[in-house]
Amino acid sequence: MAHEAAEILASTRAYVDPELRRAVESLPGSMRRIALYHFGWEHADGTPAAGNAGKAIRPALVLAAVRALGGEPATAVRAAAAVELIHNFTLLHDDVMDRDTTRRHRPTAWTVFGYADAILAGDALQALAQRMLAEDPHPGAPAAAARLAACVVELCAGQHADCALERRGPDEVTLDECLVMAEAKTGALLGCACALGALYAGADRDEVDALDGFGRQAGLAFQLIDDVIGIWGDPGRTGKPAGADLAARKKSLPVVAALASGTPAAAELAELYAGPPGRTEDGPAHATRVACAVERAGGRDWAQVHAADRMSLAIGQLARAIPDPESAGGLLALAEFVTRRTH
């Protein structure tokens, strides 16, 4: 399935990137420069770059859902591009809020252009996404635009919850709260991508909702694996510094699961996680100690098992809308890809 997923993602990029480029290049000069840099199409000085715009998982889900329901993927390219614009709007804003300095193996946009410009570029991408659907003559576009707008509100609520959790102590955050937050932050957009594909294929309400459920559950599995990679991934492959989430005291799912384990390692982890981020002792050695404590307290194993459980739920939702496994093959391959990746 990994080979199939790679082919789907490459095909999606071929379909969607020209539409994305047209949208981004329609922006005013200052916003265009930031967006082109963020997508990896230009260097900071405005000269052309080879490009690393991400894996295109969300637009791939849109097109795979259309195909699985018997529609024509070419009719949904605008919808797929709109979903990818929304995803990148969230990345630009999240990088500012989280003070992340690296994304896709290069400095984040705010570190190059400043906070205000990065935020405004993100706002512009969100507006572009809505305009793309508003101008799309496809009969599924109005419902897709409404669904995408509702998703953006949910994404904002999820990010707000995440920020609120970060202000609380390690012993004041529950696993259920973190799972709800992760569904809103990550599951919502993957669910929306699948639902938009269903709408463009002319699916009925039950099929649209089932595919939304599939994407949400797969999205939670994705977030669980992403959190694991954030702690134990190879920086050379992830494009992010090792231990960055731990140094920032992020309440990621493996960390919260470890803290809730009641083990001696959980008590050690709580002590290591105490205090504000950015202390002089928060170096690589400290991050290694924290990661070891999370693992000994069962956080890594819990995340991996729970990701598999969420994928089982996702497959159940998918079967509601598309009982034929062969027709659902593209969606299954993408779901398998996001839960078995290593970077």
Side-chain angles (χ1 to χ4, degrees):
M1 277 198 175
H3 179 69
E4 183 181 357
E7 287 186 344
I8 292 169
L9 293 170
S11 172
T12 297
R13 275 281 168 229
Y15 264 122
V16 174
D17 274 3
E19 196 72 40
L20 280 174
R21 288 293 293 257
R22 278 192 291 272
V24 168
E25 287 171 358
S26 73
L27 291 171
S30 56
M31 295 294 95
R32 181 171 64 248
R33 181 182 173 194
I34 299 163
L36 287 170
Y37 172 83
H38 170 76
F39 277 103
W41 295 324
E42 283 188 0
H43 295 295
D45 62 2
T47 57
N52 178 12
K55 297 179 180 67
I57 290 165
R58 291 154 190 84
L61 287 170
V62 176
L63 302 184
V66 175
R67 185 179 290 108
L69 287 164
E72 174 50 58
T75 66
V77 170
R78 285 190 185 182
V83 168
E84 186 71 345
L85 287 168
I86 291 296
H87 174 52
N88 282 276
F89 137 69
T90 68
L91 296 182
L92 281 161
H93 283 201
D94 286 359
D95 285 344
V96 170
M97 286 182 270
D98 296 341
R99 301 296 189 266
D100 284 339
T101 58
T102 307
R103 180 173 294 282
R104 298 167 183 161
H105 305 278
R106 66 202 315 231
T108 46
W110 72 265
T111 67
V112 176
F113 301 101
Y115 296 126
D117 284 356
I119 291 168
L120 290 168
D123 293 341
L125 294 187
Q126 184 193 165
L128 279 180
Q130 294 294 344
R131 189 181 77 185
M132 289 182 83
L133 292 179
E135 294 176 349
D136 192 345
H138 191 284
R147 196 155 194 131
L148 190 61
C151 179
V152 169
V153 174
E154 189 173 358
L155 292 171
C156 293
Q159 179 65 9
H160 181 269
D162 191 19
C163 293
L165 290 176
E166 294 310 311
R167 292 192 292 268
R168 290 156 58 183
D171 59 342
E172 300 172 339
V173 175
T174 70
L175 202 46
D176 284 345
E177 285 179 303
C178 289
L179 286 167
V180 169
M181 177 271 293
E183 180 176 346
K185 269 196 69 171
T186 305
L189 189 54
L190 270 72
C192 183
C194 296
L196 262 58
L199 288 168
Y200 270 69
D204 62 32
R205 178 63 182 268
D206 287 344
E207 291 170 327
V208 172
D209 288 346
L211 278 179
D212 183 272
F214 162 75
R216 282 176 179 272
Q217 295 299 335
L220 267 175
F222 175 98
Q223 186 60 57
L224 285 154
I225 299 303
D226 198 62
D227 285 351
V228 168
I229 293 169
I231 298 173
W232 294 282
D234 176 4
R237 303 188 72 187
T238 64
K240 293 185 177 183
D245 286 354
L246 299 178
R249 306 294 192 276
K250 293 288 289 183
K251 309 297 193 305
S252 66
L253 289 162
V255 168
V256 176
L259 288 167
S261 68
T263 62
E268 179 189 349
L269 176 61
E271 186 176 336
L272 290 167
Y273 240 53
R279 300 179 304 176
T280 54
E281 60 266 37
D282 287 351
H286 182 268
T288 299
R289 287 183 64 200
V290 175
C292 288
V294 174
E295 187 155 12
R296 284 187 285 108
R300 186 174 190 169
D301 287 343
W302 177 89
Q304 290 171 331
V305 169
H306 204 70
D309 290 344
R310 291 291 177 167
M311 270 308 304
S312 295
L313 293 172
I315 290 168
Q317 291 282 358
L318 182 59
R320 284 178 49 209
I322 309 166
D324 176 19
E326 187 173 344
S327 297
L331 289 167
L332 287 169
L334 289 169
E336 178 89 358
F337 171 80
V338 301
T339 55
R340 292 192 180 276
R341 64 203 176 92
T342 57
H343 64 286

